[in-house]
Amino acid sequence: MSTSEDPLLEVRDLRVRYGRRGGPVAVDGVSLSVASEETLGLVGESGSGKTTVARCVAGLLRPGAGTITFDGRPLGRAGRRPPELQRAVQMVFQDPRSSLNPRMTVAAIIAEVWSTHPVTAPEGDRTEALHRLLADMGLDPEVASRRAGDLSGGQCQRVSIARALAVRPRLLVCDEAVSALDVSVQAQILRLLVDLRGRHRLAMLFISHDLGVVHQIADRVAVMHRGVIVEEGRTGEVLTAPRHAYTRALLDAALDLDDSVPGEGTADDKAGV
């Protein structure tokens, strides 16, 4: 993790309401930061506002107030961001199946990304580059010719991560990226994200309702409840000595925090489960 004092991502006093003016508050004055190569876990139950924060950072939702900056530059809506900022911040969604066009092949999905951002397209043989990218995700080359709708949930999420990494981002926003997967596949995807973070020097904003999951991947954790952050700190400190009652309640509901991300893949994992 970077020790730089200047954050890569900085969110200040973010406020979002549901619906029109006067609607219920989804996010109420949230401030957070993520350093280069750091993973911040943003945790809370359904309806706490954490996904709303993630969508604002990704540019999919316009906040009512507050500022979001990336490397000191303001982040607006995704469609209005300069190409370099569009590439720099990429999102991995909760439902891997619905985030991909089921009729498109994996090769076409990645080719579309490279066509949109040609500066990131590989020189030379793109098929070979695609196979290398898939191998980085733990997927066999033959997956390239398969349609997304024919893949398993774990394979779809690996392809979604490959699509994000194809444009060489600096920050991944992972919105409940493992919650829709079987427990065994969750561990594989978490292990993959940990590995990719190190190899690609990525920062991550990792959204989850499960402190047990966040414990396995995050350097720091921020706990959201009813639109505000109620506790924040180093992951180990927050999880071993929580100060807020809501954090303690989440801990009581979490899985065994002694579990860690395994270092070696299983046979199924290496086969692209």
Side-chain angles (χ1 to χ4, degrees):
M1 188 189 84
S2 172
T3 58
S4 171
E5 293 183 1
D6 295 327
L8 183 66
L9 173 72
E10 187 166 21
V11 177
R12 285 289 170 261
D13 200 26
L14 192 72
R15 298 176 187 274
V16 182
R17 286 185 178 273
Y18 292 121
R20 299 180 179 179
R21 180 179 297 180
V25 175
V27 175
D28 191 7
V30 163
S31 295
L32 56 83
S33 63
V34 183
S36 178
E37 301 179 48
E38 177 186 42
T39 297
L40 174 68
L42 187 59
V43 186
E45 63 190 340
S46 178
S48 63
K50 60 190 187 301
T51 289
T52 300
V53 172
R55 291 177 64 83
C56 288
V57 171
L60 303 178
L61 186 65
R62 179 185 299 169
T67 61
I68 305 174
T69 58
F70 184 86
D71 210 9
R73 300 174 63 183
L75 279 178
R77 293 290 296 272
R80 298 182 179 181
R81 293 178 181 178
E84 64 273 18
L85 287 183
Q86 291 182 22
R87 296 190 298 270
V89 181
Q90 292 292 308
M91 191 164 183
V92 179
F93 296 91
Q94 176 177 0
D95 186 349
R97 293 186 183 279
S98 65
S99 67
L100 301 173
N101 186 330
R103 297 182 180 180
M104 291 180 67
T105 66
V106 171
I109 288 169
I110 303 301
E112 184 178 59
V113 173
W114 282 336
S115 176
T116 303
H117 298 282
V119 69
T120 65
E123 297 180 358
D125 188 345
R126 292 194 181 184
T127 299
E128 182 180 343
L130 171 61
H131 289 172
R132 287 197 303 269
L133 177 62
L134 295 178
D136 279 348
M137 303 303 118
L139 292 169
D140 292 331
E142 61 88 16
V143 170
S145 62
R146 296 176 61 185
R147 294 184 180 183
D150 297 329
L151 302 179
S152 70
Q155 289 173 323
C156 283
Q157 197 62 296
R158 290 172 189 268
V159 172
S160 296
I161 297 168
R163 179 178 60 182
L165 291 186
V167 297
R168 306 172 201 164
R170 297 175 63 192
L171 173 72
L172 276 188
V173 180
C174 299
D175 181 21
E176 296 278 12
V178 299
S179 67
L181 304 173
D182 292 341
V183 173
S184 61
V185 181
Q186 283 186 18
Q188 296 165 15
I189 298 300
L190 283 172
R191 184 166 59 247
L192 174 65
L193 289 171
V194 170
D195 177 59
L196 293 172
R197 178 184 65 176
R199 286 196 286 121
H200 294 273
R201 305 183 66 178
L202 292 167
M204 292 188 193
L205 177 60
F206 190 88
I207 312 299
S208 180
H209 65 277
D210 190 338
L211 277 170
V213 168
V214 167
H215 172 260
Q216 301 180 55
I217 196 169
D219 301 299
R220 290 187 300 115
V221 60
V223 181
M224 280 195 74
H225 181 50
R226 296 181 178 177
V228 301
I229 292 178
V230 297
E231 185 163 357
E232 184 176 2
R234 302 292 300 178
T235 303
E237 295 171 0
V238 171
L239 299 189
T240 56
R243 299 185 303 273
H244 197 277
Y246 179 70
T247 308
R248 291 193 291 271
L250 287 179
L251 278 170
D252 288 341
L255 298 175
D256 186 1
L257 295 183
D258 290 333
D259 291 342
S260 58
V261 177
E264 299 294 334
T266 64
D268 286 343
D269 186 31
K270 293 174 181 177
V273 173

